[in-house]
Amino acid sequence: MRTKSIRKTIVTLGLALALTGALTACGKDDDKKSDTTTAAATEAKTEAKTEKPTEAATEKGSEKPTEAETEKATEAEQKETEAEATESEVLEDSFVGNYYNEENERVTMTITKEDGSELYDVKVRWGDSANTTYVYTFSGSFDGNVMEYSNCIKTKECIDESGNYIEDEDGNPTPLAIFKYGTGTMSVGNGGIQWTEDNEHQLDGTHFRRY
């Protein structure tokens, strides 16, 4: 009886050890599966973070401006440049040159200046007829964008086809002085120079543009 009891005990212990080993192996398998699942999830997150931009996103980011947008930008730059150029006309020495009048092609103006001088010499020619021209000559300096003068001389010139001076319709030899010490102003603005003549007001408001 005692031998049977001992055998029964041994068998029971063997079964217990076998069951314990099986449970331990099962636990290890579960740990391996958990570790594998965690590693896979981490790898998926890493790939998502380092994923390169799609081709559509790259094309959108590197897309060049359209032709219309480029032309619009160019026009804006040109307008800004023209505005700056208009403002710069008030600077000294920008007044020298030959000018014309848009409303009357027979009215022209020439402005000159000697080196080192602050005075501008102005000559306005008004072709009244085929052989008669009135000439206004005066000088002055610009204060900002305005010149005031008080030394204008107006003369009448009659010239024949050969370029010689002839008498006017009243029999007066020309050149003939009409008046002296005339006054007026020259004002820079609107892309040119506007003339105000105080004596006869025949050409008041004449606007000249440079050729």
Side-chain angles (χ1 to χ4, degrees):
M1 289 291 292
R2 187 175 180 179
T3 302
K4 289 182 179 180
S5 177
I6 291 171
R7 287 179 180 176
K8 187 175 180 180
T9 301
I10 292 172
V11 170
T12 301
L13 289 173
L15 289 173
L17 289 173
L19 182 60
T20 300
L23 291 173
T24 301
C26 182
K28 288 181 179 180
D29 288 342
D30 290 341
D31 290 342
K32 287 182 180 180
K33 289 180 180 179
S34 177
D35 292 342
T36 302
T37 302
T38 301
T42 302
E43 184 177 356
K45 289 181 180 180
T46 303
E47 289 180 356
K49 289 181 179 180
T50 59
E51 184 178 0
K52 295 182 179 180
T54 63
E55 184 176 351
T58 302
E59 290 180 355
K60 184 177 181 180
S62 61
E63 187 176 293
K64 295 182 179 179
T66 64
E67 185 176 349
E69 292 173 341
T70 303
E71 290 180 356
K72 188 175 182 180
T74 302
E75 288 178 0
E77 291 176 358
Q78 288 177 347
K79 289 181 179 179
E80 183 177 352
T81 302
E82 290 173 359
E84 292 175 355
T86 301
E87 291 178 1
S88 69
E89 288 185 357
V90 300
L91 299 177
E92 286 195 8
D93 296 334
S94 65
F95 310 114
V96 174
N98 297 314
Y99 293 76
Y100 68 96
N101 176 248
E102 293 178 326
E103 297 179 358
N104 187 347
E105 62 181 10
R106 291 187 173 186
V107 181
T108 61
M109 179 175 68
T110 302
I111 298 179
T112 58
K113 180 184 178 185
E114 293 185 6
D115 294 338
S117 175
E118 295 183 359
L119 294 177
Y120 290 87
D121 295 314
V122 182
K123 179 177 287 189
V124 177
R125 300 181 66 87
W126 172 25
D128 184 49
S129 62
N131 65 346
T132 301
T133 301
Y134 291 98
V135 182
Y136 302 78
T137 57
F138 53 91
S139 61
S141 59
F142 281 92
D143 182 8
N145 62 347
V146 176
M147 173 201 286
E148 294 184 353
Y149 65 86
S150 59
N151 56 359
C152 179
I153 299 174
K154 177 183 178 181
T155 59
K156 181 179 182 180
E157 297 179 352
C158 295
I159 301 175
D160 61 17
E161 295 179 353
S162 300
N164 300 315
Y165 287 108
I166 59 175
E167 295 179 349
D168 64 10
E169 65 276 9
D170 297 324
N172 300 312
T174 63
L176 176 66
I178 306 299
F179 65 73
K180 297 181 179 180
Y181 308 110
T183 60
T185 58
M186 305 286 283
S187 304
V188 178
N190 298 323
I193 297 178
Q194 183 164 308
W195 182 33
T196 300
E197 191 269 306
D198 296 338
N199 298 86
E200 299 175 332
H201 303 285
Q202 291 180 321
L203 296 175
D204 264 359
T206 301
H207 191 264
F208 295 96
R209 290 185 179 276
R210 190 157 40 189
Y211 281 104

